[in-house]
Amino acid sequence: MENVVIIGTGCAGLTAAIYTARANLRPLVLTGVMPGGLLTTTSTVENFPGFPEGIDGFELMTRMQAQAEKFGAQVKFGTVESVDLSKKPIRLMVDGEAVETQTLIIASGAGHRHLGVPGEHELEKKGVTYCATCDGALPMFRNQPLVVVGGGDSACEEANYLTRFSSEVYLIHRRDTLRASRIMADRTLANPKIKPVWDSVVTAVDDVAAGKVTGVRLKNLKTGAETRLGCAGVFVAIGHLPNSQLFQGQLALDEAGYFVLGRGMGTSVPGVFVAGDCADSVYRQAITAAGMGCAAAIEAERYLAGLCG
Ligand code: NAP
């Protein structure tokens, strides 16, 4: 039986792994389908303390994993299929194998929110994408007009990144002010290759019949005007949805699906802790996720010490 199982290898999960490993608990750390979490899809992380020049997101996560493994964490590629929190030990099914553990730290992160408009799903990977750093350099996007949807830091980051490859980037936002941080918003609006399209939403992505993106249909929310904008790619950056579906009915979730945090990163089930983006609808930063992972690890350690006497 494991002392600690950690679900997720983003900033929260790997920080929890570093702390529990240093406490000699040999945590089992399950990667899920995206080892390293969402940060691996970011370009330069400029605001993680200790890296004044910035650090590549993938490199930061690779280093965190190496640090956890150095202290004895067992990082395993695996997806959790089901969890039974109703009795002790806690039981998980991981790729068809049963795993038992005394404590569980859920750091399952968040996935990309989708637009839910016609053409989006059908043209995914055929011009519709959720990650500029993963897909931006593909030949189909080179020297072509591209669309980024969203007004937050992610959308601005994606738009700026895409200017390296595209002829121009249209930033479609449903309001007329960006939600992004000031520094990111200023950088974006100052970029001559980025053309904001305010007060507008994408109502459909063309062209499913052609099997590739040829444009988007837009609706101006203030005037009601409907237009079409030609483009070769649509980069959707409208926020995230917490990965908590597995725990529905077993742990308290808010209406958006985020875990409801109890005292000391705890949940309604003793020995089960949550950390990172799956439990944070407010800050969602690499450093806050790491801090939550650290706190969850300390609490798991205390819980285990309490079991021993
Ligand atoms: P976000 O801040 O929640 O922004 C989502 C954006 O998408 C908002 O502008 C929102 O519009 C828009 N949106 C949401 N649903 C929509 C829909 N159905 N249709 C059209 N537009 C929609 O998400 P994020 O940009 O991914 O950022 C998440 C967190 O990560 C933030 O805390 C951010 O600061 C952080 N982050 C930081 C960095 C960095 O520091 N380098 C980079 C990326 C992300 P409204 O504005 O109207 O709500």
Side-chain angles (χ1 to χ4, degrees):
M1 177 164 41
E2 306 292 340
N3 296 308
V4 187
V5 168
I6 298 169
I7 301 178
T9 47
C11 281
L14 287 177
T15 305
I18 292 167
Y19 274 76
T20 49
R22 278 195 83 237
N24 274 342
L25 295 172
R26 276 189 59 73
L28 173 64
V29 194
L30 302 167
T31 62
V33 288
M34 191 185 253
L38 277 181
L39 216 61
T40 56
T41 66
T42 301
S43 48
T44 309
V45 181
E46 290 180 340
N47 50 11
F48 200 87
F51 299 95
E53 312 304 329
I55 180 165
D56 176 78
F58 185 82
E59 188 188 347
L60 179 63
M61 300 320 298
T62 305
R63 282 169 173 244
M64 276 193 206
Q65 179 170 333
Q67 196 172 353
E69 286 175 327
K70 178 178 125 182
F71 294 116
Q74 322 161 63
V75 179
K76 189 175 162 193
F77 186 82
T79 306
V80 181
E81 291 151 348
S82 64
V83 182
D84 183 0
L85 302 178
S86 65
K87 45 189 181 293
K88 293 287 187 285
I90 296 158
R91 207 177 144 87
L92 302 92
M93 286 305 287
V94 182
D95 293 335
E97 257 179 59
V99 174
E100 292 186 337
T101 181
Q102 300 201 72
T103 66
L104 179 66
I105 297 176
I106 305 165
S108 48
H112 297 286
R113 189 188 291 277
H114 291 204
L115 289 167
V117 300
E120 179 189 22
H121 173 63
E122 296 88 333
L123 293 169
E124 195 172 332
K125 298 198 171 73
K126 295 174 186 160
V128 174
T129 146
Y130 301 85
C131 177
T133 40
C134 316
D135 302 326
L138 291 173
M140 68 171 141
F141 300 131
R142 296 259 167 176
N143 301 313
Q144 299 291 324
L146 301 175
V147 154
V148 172
V149 190
D153 278 324
S154 297
C156 290
E157 198 173 77
E158 306 257 291
N160 279 288
Y161 182 76
L162 289 170
T163 57
R164 299 184 199 181
F165 313 104
S166 59
S167 57
E168 64 243 287
V169 177
Y170 293 95
L171 182 63
I172 315 293
H173 185 33
R174 62 185 178 183
R175 296 186 293 124
D176 62 2
T177 38
L178 295 173
R179 174 179 296 280
S181 54
R182 185 66 189 269
I183 184 171
M184 194 65 97
D186 287 351
R187 190 182 298 170
T188 304
L189 297 177
N191 190 321
K193 280 179 96 176
I194 299 176
K195 300 184 165 67
V197 180
W198 302 118
D199 302 312
S200 297
V201 290
V202 172
T203 55
V205 184
D206 292 340
D207 180 350
V208 176
K212 64 176 184 176
V213 170
T214 59
V216 288
R217 311 279 178 94
L218 299 176
K219 182 173 182 179
N220 185 301
L221 295 175
K222 283 200 173 144
T223 65
E226 297 191 23
T227 51
R228 188 180 184 281
L229 179 62
C231 64
V234 179
F235 291 76
V236 182
I238 59 168
H240 301 95
L241 290 174
N243 294 323
S244 59
Q245 303 82 340
L246 209 57
F247 298 91
Q248 236 161 23
Q250 298 196 75
L251 293 176
L253 306 176
D254 69 14
E255 71 257 13
Y258 289 89
F259 289 102
V260 176
L261 263 184
R263 260 174 66 90
M265 316 308 291
T267 63
S268 51
V269 178
V272 178
F273 305 90
V274 287
D277 283 6
C278 62
D280 175 14
S281 61
V282 180
Y283 303 108
R284 293 177 295 177
Q285 304 296 304
I287 190 66
T288 49
M292 291 170 85
C294 161
I298 290 172
E299 294 298 339
E301 200 185 327
R302 287 182 181 159
Y303 173 86
L304 285 167
L307 290 184
C308 297

